[in-house]
Amino acid sequence: MDNTDLWAGLPTLDEPPAPVWEDPVPLAGPRKLAPFPTASLPGWLREFVAAVAEETQTPVDLAGCIALSVLATAAGGRAVVQVRGHWREPTNLYVVVSLPPANRKSAVFGLLTDPLYEAEQQLRTLTQPAIVEAEMTARLAKEAADKAASKAATAGADERDELVSTAIALAQTAESVSVPAKPQLLADDTTAETVTSRMAEQGGRISVMSAEGDIFDIIAGRYSGKPNMGVFLKGHAGDRLKVDRQTREEYIEHPALTMGLCVQPQVLDDIGRQDGFKGRGLLGRFLYSVPESLVGRRKIEPEPIPEQVMETYRRHVLDLTLFLAEWTDPALIQLTPEAVAALKAFQARVEPMLEARGGIMGQIGDWGGKLVGATARMAALLHLAEHLTKGHMVPVAEATMRDAIALAEYFISHSLAAFDSMGADRIVERARTVLEVLHTHGWREVSKRDLMVKLSRSEFRTANDLDPVLALLEDHGYVRAQAVQRTGGRGRPPSPRYLIHPRLTDPTA
């Protein structure tokens, strides 16, 4: 019997079996940016945001994102949302919009934040009599204590003990008189130290709103020479903040910092290269928007903002801000069971997106891990904007939660694009370059050294630049590292070799 057919197609002793390949996991594709969901905003806010975008001829994303920051300025530190169990979220936000120059950012900021400055002035007018009274009381108490101390110092032995006791009591009284700080909602000087001091003075809250990106330079250490981001980390999460230095001692139980920023795209590129920004988690706290500029396509005579729309916006922001300013213990915002269920369903959708291998947010897990909490915060802000002074009396409806989820989905697409600019997916871009080279040359196996020869030195300056790219391609199943066979002799060690997925040369494989 001829056994030739029995052995046909089987590997010989000298030929290893062909590797079995699973389908590779696709790398992230080009970013498709979602439009800003203006329908998610309450009617009065939606109308004003659209009118601002029309008059200034700017993307509606800019006004919409700054509007969220305005609501967070009004509510931050004065309201919290009960998510479930012991999970509560504060209502402050960090929002940053990236737009090139000549996009009228300052004009948009001015229109959106004017009512906050007006509210700040009204709060100062209301508290001025109490401040004057406290200042006078403190001054008189100190003068009385000083006179008592002088009298005790010159008294005879028979009177000294009694006068010293009186002086001590008056000094303690003077020390106990507290002078309220002038109300302040928005901080102009934004060093880490002054932000901390302003929050301590203002009952734990302050807001930084700026049409420039200088704050990132300051955080990186423009003045101190080293990054100082503690207050910006804790101010977002509401973690206890204590400053105990020779020059000052400050303690904030629940800090609530809001930031609404608009920066040039170059700023995002630069901060992605700053040491410490990613590792400390600061960038993961921002909600990012990267809308397309309208420069070159703007109307010459746009429609002005209707007076009634502007007045309604002004009145509602004032009402909400002044109402919540009176709360010392934060207002507790509850969710309806339906809203809780909607948020849970969204969380179930988000979780697989965070998977390191294949999840669309796998490269920005720090940011994605905070998204559900940010969604709850936005739901509370939309709820307060809808109900104004009665938001604490009724729970957040399911429809409001779904509006917040629509905003969260918007921020997913834009934040992925922002992190691309900051370098989070620079390795992915390089991986696409390597895949193209592998496909062009049709290799079944290649050494790292041979691959470097075919790559541009402007993109891969050293072999070390290729290591994270090959690691990503191996993680996604496009290549497999082979064990390096060392000869034991002198000279340069052998270059690592990689098997290539057959689908790169044969799509039907």
Side-chain angles (χ1 to χ4, degrees), residues 130-143 145 169-180:
I131 292 175
V132 171
E133 181 180 351
E135 288 175 340
M136 180 61 70
T137 301
R139 189 175 72 185
L140 294 175
K142 187 177 185 305
E143 289 176 355
L170 288 172
Q172 290 174 339
T173 299
E175 188 68 24
S176 67
V177 177
S178 176
V179 179

Side-chain angles (χ1 to χ4, degrees), residues 413-456:
S413 70
H414 284 251
S415 295
L416 285 168
F419 276 97
D420 285 351
S421 297
M422 291 185 287
D425 276 1
R426 194 163 289 140
I427 294 174
V428 174
E429 293 302 321
R430 290 178 174 177
R432 292 195 186 98
T433 299
V434 172
L435 285 179
E436 183 63 30
V437 170
L438 295 176
H439 173 73
T440 299
H441 290 276
W443 291 313
R444 295 178 59 188
E445 184 177 345
V446 68
S447 71
K448 180 181 174 183
R449 187 175 296 126
D450 290 341
L451 183 56
M452 277 294 296
V453 171
K454 301 298 183 182
L455 294 169
S456 168

Side-chain angles (χ1 to χ4, degrees), residues 229-270:
M229 57 185 70
V231 63
F232 300 99
L233 296 173
K234 295 183 177 181
H236 179 272
D239 295 336
R240 193 175 288 112
L241 178 61
K242 185 176 182 180
V243 176
D244 190 4
R245 299 175 182 167
Q246 290 183 345
T247 55
R248 73 185 196 279
E249 181 177 337
E250 293 164 332
Y251 176 78
I252 308 173
E253 181 70 23
H254 298 293
L257 175 62
T258 287
M259 287 202 278
L261 311 173
C262 188
V263 303
Q264 294 183 18
Q266 183 61 43
V267 174
L268 291 186
D269 295 342
D270 292 343

Side-chain angles (χ1 to χ4, degrees), residues 199-437:
M199 279 201 295
E201 293 170 357
Q202 302 301 319
R205 70 155 172 177
I206 201 69
S207 178
V208 176
M209 304 279 280
S210 174
E212 304 295 336
D214 290 353
I215 183 66
F216 289 111
D217 290 336
I218 293 169
I219 296 171
R222 173 193 290 175
Y223 301 120
S224 62
K226 60 181 180 180
N228 187 354
M229 57 185 70
V231 63
F232 300 99
L233 296 173
K234 295 183 177 181
H236 179 272
D239 295 336
R240 193 175 288 112
L241 178 61
K242 185 176 182 180
V243 176
D244 190 4
R245 299 175 182 167
Q246 290 183 345
T247 55
R248 73 185 196 279
E249 181 177 337
E250 293 164 332
Y251 176 78
I252 308 173
E253 181 70 23
H254 298 293
L257 175 62
T258 287
M259 287 202 278
L261 311 173
C262 188
V263 303
Q264 294 183 18
Q266 183 61 43
V267 174
L268 291 186
D269 295 342
D270 292 343
I271 63 177
R273 300 185 182 95
Q274 294 278 2
D275 291 339
F277 269 76
K278 291 179 184 175
R280 295 288 301 278
L282 178 64
L283 300 184
R285 285 162 164 76
F286 281 89
L287 299 172
Y288 297 88
S289 172
V290 287
E292 183 180 356
S293 172
L294 298 182
V295 173
R297 297 178 286 118
R298 296 178 292 191
K299 295 179 183 178
I300 304 304
E301 294 187 12
E303 293 293 325
I305 301 172
E307 288 298 325
Q308 184 58 45
V309 171
M310 179 173 284
E311 177 58 25
T312 300
Y313 172 78
R314 170 189 166 275
R315 187 176 66 253
H316 286 348
V317 172
L318 276 174
D319 289 347
L320 181 61
T321 306
L322 296 176
F323 172 72
L324 289 174
E326 299 176 358
W327 290 72
T328 51
D329 293 330
L332 183 61
I333 309 301
Q334 303 278 1
L335 305 180
T336 61
E338 294 80 10
V340 171
L343 187 62
K344 282 184 179 179
F346 179 60
Q347 186 174 9
R349 285 197 288 124
V350 166
E351 191 63 24
M353 300 180 191
L354 305 177
E355 188 176 358
R357 186 175 187 268
I360 67 168
M361 291 191 286
Q363 299 292 321
I364 56 169
D366 176 50
W367 184 89
K370 297 177 178 65
L371 181 60
V372 175
T375 305
R377 297 185 187 201
M378 290 189 288
L381 293 174
L382 296 177
H383 175 78
L384 288 169
E386 182 69 36
H387 297 279
L388 299 173
T389 61
K390 298 179 181 179
H392 63 293
M393 300 171 61
V394 292
V396 176
E398 178 185 6
T400 302
M401 182 60 72
R402 295 199 179 281
D403 287 336
I405 290 170
L407 284 166
E409 290 170 338
Y410 164 85
F411 284 118
I412 288 175
S413 70
H414 284 251
S415 295
L416 285 168
F419 276 97
D420 285 351
S421 297
M422 291 185 287
D425 276 1
R426 194 163 289 140
I427 294 174
V428 174
E429 293 302 321
R430 290 178 174 177
R432 292 195 186 98
T433 299
V434 172
L435 285 179
E436 183 63 30
V437 170

Side-chain angles (χ1 to χ4, degrees), residues 28-44:
R31 304 299 180 195
K32 182 178 180 181
L33 297 177
F36 187 85
T38 52
S40 295
L41 303 177
W44 63 271

